[in-house]
Amino acid sequence: MISIRSKLSLWLSGLVIIATVIGLILFESMLRQAFHDSIINRLEEDLEHIIIASHIDAGEIVIDQNELSSFYKPAYSGRYFQINSENQIIRSRSLWDVQLDIERLEYNQTRVWQAKGPKNNDMQLLSIGVGSNNNGKVATLTVAQDLSIGRRVFSEIFGTKLAINIAMLIAMICGIFIILRQSFKPVKHIQDSLAKLRQGEIGALETTQIPVEIKPLAETYNELLDYTANQIERSRNNLGNLSHGLKTPLAVMQQQVEVLGLSNPEAAEAMQQQLDLIRKMIERKLTAARITGDMLPAAQMVVPRDFESLISTLNKVHHNKDINCTIDAADNISRLPIHREDGMELFGNLLDNAYKWAHSTVSVNISQQEHSTSLCIADDGPGVNDDQISQLTNRGKRLDEAVIGHGLGLSIVKEIVEQYGYQLQFSRSDELKGLHVCIKFPIPNSKITDDNAKK
C-alpha cells in the first residue's frame, strides 16, 4: 500500500503541475490577445496617418509621402498600405511589386483579417471604406503588418516565461519532497523506536521528540504497553500463587491415595488418575501464562545473543572438552517465538546434551522455510540408533550410563515443545554423523521478526 508521504507528494506535485499548466495556458492566451490588440491599435493609427496624408487632386487620390512613416519606404519592410478606388490603385513602396488582393468595402465599413503577403509571410490587415458616400465615390484603404517579427518576439517572451515556469515547477516539486521528508522525520523516529521496542532494547516509545499531533498516540501506546505488561505479570503471579497453594493439598491427597492403595487398589488408581490430570492442568495453565508473555517481543528468545550466552556458559561447564560450537542463523531471523525463560531451558538442555556427547564439534543452524522456521542442533558424537530414537524423551531414560546425567534433559525438551505446539524431530546428522535434533516453529506474523520488513 502506498505511504501517506508518497500520496501527499504525488497529490501536491500533481496540483502544482496542473496549476502551472493552467497558468501557462492563460498567460499564452492573454499574451496572444495583447499581441493582437497592439497590432490592431497600430494599424488603426496607421489608417489615421494615411487618411491625413491623403487628399483628392483633379479627381484622383494623392498621398503626401513626406507625411508618411519611413517604414513604408524600404521594400518588404513589414509595414504596408494600399488604396483601391474605382480607377486607381495606390500602394506603398514597401509592397514593391506585390499587389494585395483587397475586397472593396462600403463607406465606413471595416474589415479585419489575415492573409499571406510578401515573401509568403502572414500579415494582419485592416481595411476601411473612405470617401464620400453622397457622390458614391468610395475607396478602400488597407493597412497591413507582417506578423513574423511579432510572432518571433511573442515566441521569445513565451519561451522565457515557459523556461521560468518549468524551473519554478521543478523547484517547487523538489521543495515539496524535501518539506515532506523533513515533516515525516518524526514518523521515522517512531519507526526506529518501534524497531528498538521489537528488539527489546527499550521498554516504551520515546515521546520527547514526537510532534504534538502524534504524541497522544505514542503516549496511549505506552500506556497500553504498561497495562498489558501489568496484566500479564498479574496473571502469571496469580497462576503461580495458585500452583504453589495447590502443592500442599495435592501432596496430602497423594499420601491419602497411597494409603488407600493398601486397602482398595482400584479406588486408589482412579484417584491417582484424577490427581495426575490436576497436575497436568496446572502445568498447562502455567505454561499458557508464560506463552502469553510473547505478546511483548522483549520477552522472546533473541538470535544469536541468547545462544551465544548459552554457549559461553556451556564452554565453562565443559571446560575439560575442546568443543567448537558454531551458530548459523538466517539474516532475517532475529527472534524465536518462545518465551526467553523456556527457550533458555529448552535449548540449554539440547546444547548440554550435544556437548556431553560431542567429540569436538557442535553446530546450531537456524533457517526459514515457507511455512516454518527450523532450529537444528547437531554434534559429531556417536549418535543414536534408529530403534532407540523413540526412547530419547522418556523421563529418566538413559541410553548410555557412561555419561553423567539423570536422563531428564530431553524429556524436559519434549514437554516444553509439546506445550508450545511445536515439532520435535530426532535423526542422525548427515554431516557430523552424530545426533541431529530439529525443532520446527510455525510462522505467525506476531512471533517472528523479519528485519527486512522494516520500513
Side-chain angles (χ1 to χ4, degrees):
M1 185 177 180
I2 189 170
S3 65
I4 297 177
R5 190 176 78 176
S6 299
K7 281 185 178 179
L8 288 174
S9 300
L10 293 175
W11 277 104
L12 292 176
S13 299
L15 290 175
V16 170
I17 292 173
I18 292 173
T20 302
V21 172
I22 293 175
L24 285 173
I25 293 174
L26 292 176
F27 177 80
E28 190 269 346
S29 176
M30 293 172 63
L31 183 62
R32 190 178 297 278
Q33 186 62 42
F35 174 67
H36 179 267
D37 292 343
S38 65
I39 291 178
I40 297 300
N41 290 336
R42 177 175 293 178
L43 293 177
E44 290 176 348
E45 292 177 357
D46 289 347
L47 281 177
E48 293 180 0
H49 292 160
I50 296 172
I51 292 174
I52 293 174
S54 304
H55 60 277
I56 299 176
D57 186 6
E60 293 185 357
I61 300 174
V62 178
I63 298 178
D64 187 355
Q65 297 291 334
N66 294 327
E67 296 185 16
L68 295 179
S69 172
S70 59
F71 286 107
Y72 295 113
K73 296 179 181 179
Y76 309 129
S77 64
R79 299 275 290 277
Y80 314 106
F81 73 84
Q82 180 174 308
I83 299 176
N84 293 66
S85 64
E86 293 181 355
N87 54 1
Q88 75 179 122
I89 296 177
I90 303 175
R91 295 176 296 163
S92 63
R93 292 182 58 187
S94 56
L95 279 172
W96 201 245
D97 57 351
V98 177
Q99 181 173 320
L100 302 179
D101 185 12
I102 302 299
E103 179 182 342
R104 297 292 298 276
L105 301 178
E106 300 295 331
Y107 180 72
N108 276 341
Q109 183 181 358
T110 58
R111 180 190 179 197
V112 179
W113 84 103
Q114 292 183 2
K116 293 292 184 181
K119 297 183 179 180
N120 204 34
N121 292 333
D122 289 335
M123 292 191 312
Q124 180 68 55
L125 299 97
L126 174 61
S127 298
I128 187 171
V130 294
S132 176
N133 193 31
N134 296 328
N135 55 20
K137 294 182 178 180
V138 177
T140 302
L141 173 58
T142 303
V143 290
Q145 180 169 331
D146 195 328
L147 295 177
S148 59
I149 298 176
R151 286 178 175 175
R152 185 166 61 250
V153 174
F154 173 86
S155 299
E156 291 176 355
I157 295 174
F158 186 74
T160 303
K161 172 67 175 176
L162 179 63
I164 293 174
N165 277 82
I166 291 176
M168 292 178 62
L169 176 63
I170 295 174
M172 285 189 288
I173 292 176
C174 293
I176 288 172
F177 279 90
I178 293 173
I179 291 172
L180 288 177
R181 182 177 180 181
Q182 294 298 320
S183 300
F184 275 83
K185 269 191 175 181
V187 178
K188 182 64 169 59
H189 175 72
I190 294 179
Q191 288 180 332
D192 295 339
S193 297
L194 287 172
K196 292 180 180 179
L197 186 65
R198 294 171 68 187
Q199 295 294 334
E201 298 177 8
I202 58 176
L205 293 177
E206 301 174 2
T207 59
T208 54
Q209 300 180 1
I210 297 179
V212 293
E213 294 85 358
I214 309 177
K215 194 171 183 178
L217 178 62
E219 291 175 345
T220 303
Y221 187 80
N222 286 339
E223 292 173 359
L224 180 61
L225 285 176
D226 293 338
Y227 176 79
T228 304
N230 291 334
Q231 289 293 99
I232 292 172
E233 187 64 26
R234 189 180 299 112
S235 175
R236 294 178 63 184
N237 290 338
N238 291 336
L239 286 172
N241 295 335
L242 177 62
S243 174
H244 183 74
L246 290 175
K247 284 182 179 179
T248 300
L250 286 174
V252 174
M253 294 175 67
Q254 183 66 46
Q255 293 176 358
Q256 296 296 324
V257 169
E258 292 175 358
V259 173
L260 181 62
L262 298 176
S263 59
N264 192 345
E266 294 182 357
E269 183 179 357
M271 291 292 293
Q272 186 64 51
Q273 291 178 354
Q274 297 302 316
L275 287 176
D276 291 339
L277 288 175
I278 293 174
R279 288 194 182 95
K280 290 182 180 179
M281 184 178 296
I282 292 173
E283 290 179 358
R284 285 198 300 269
K285 295 303 179 182
L286 289 175
T287 301
R290 289 198 300 269
I291 295 176
T292 305
D294 288 345
M295 293 175 63
L296 300 177
Q300 294 179 346
M301 193 83 176
V302 179
V303 178
R305 185 188 67 191
D306 289 335
F307 285 91
E308 292 173 349
S309 176
L310 285 173
I311 292 170
S312 176
T313 302
L314 289 171
N315 284 332
K316 295 176 182 178
V317 173
H318 299 275
H319 59 86
N320 58 325
K321 301 179 71 174
D322 186 14
I323 302 295
N324 178 30
C325 184
T326 60
I327 303 174
D328 182 16
D331 295 335
N332 61 339
I333 300 177
S334 63
R335 295 185 180 275
L336 293 176
I338 186 171
H339 196 278
R340 187 175 184 275
E341 294 179 6
D342 294 335
M344 296 295 279
E345 184 176 5
L346 170 64
F347 302 119
N349 277 293
L350 288 176
L351 286 171
D352 182 56
N353 184 76
Y355 266 74
K356 288 177 181 178
W357 294 101
H359 297 308
S360 61
T361 304
V362 174
S363 68
V364 180
N365 181 270
I366 306 174
S367 60
Q368 186 168 321
Q369 286 79 41
E370 184 177 359
H371 300 294
S372 65
T373 297
S374 297
L375 186 145
C376 300
I377 298 176
D379 61 73
D380 61 349
V384 180
N385 296 330
D386 293 340
D387 57 348
Q388 296 178 316
I389 286 179
S390 60
Q391 306 177 38
L392 284 175
T393 55
N394 292 340
R395 180 171 289 272
K397 182 68 176 180
R398 298 176 60 203
L399 302 181
D400 193 337
E401 301 294 334
V403 178
I404 298 175
H406 302 287
L408 299 176
L410 294 181
S411 65
I412 295 174
V413 168
K414 180 182 178 183
E415 290 178 1
I416 296 175
V417 170
E418 288 179 348
Q419 288 167 355
Y420 278 86
Y422 300 151
Q423 296 180 12
L424 176 65
Q425 297 176 350
F426 293 94
S427 62
R428 180 175 290 276
S429 173
D430 295 333
E431 182 179 354
L432 300 180
K433 307 303 180 184
L435 182 64
H436 183 270
V437 185
C438 189
I439 299 176
K440 289 189 175 182
F441 307 88
I443 309 182
N445 293 333
S446 60
K447 292 187 176 182
I448 294 285
T449 300
D450 186 350
D451 289 338
N452 292 336
K454 292 179 180 179
K455 295 183 180 179

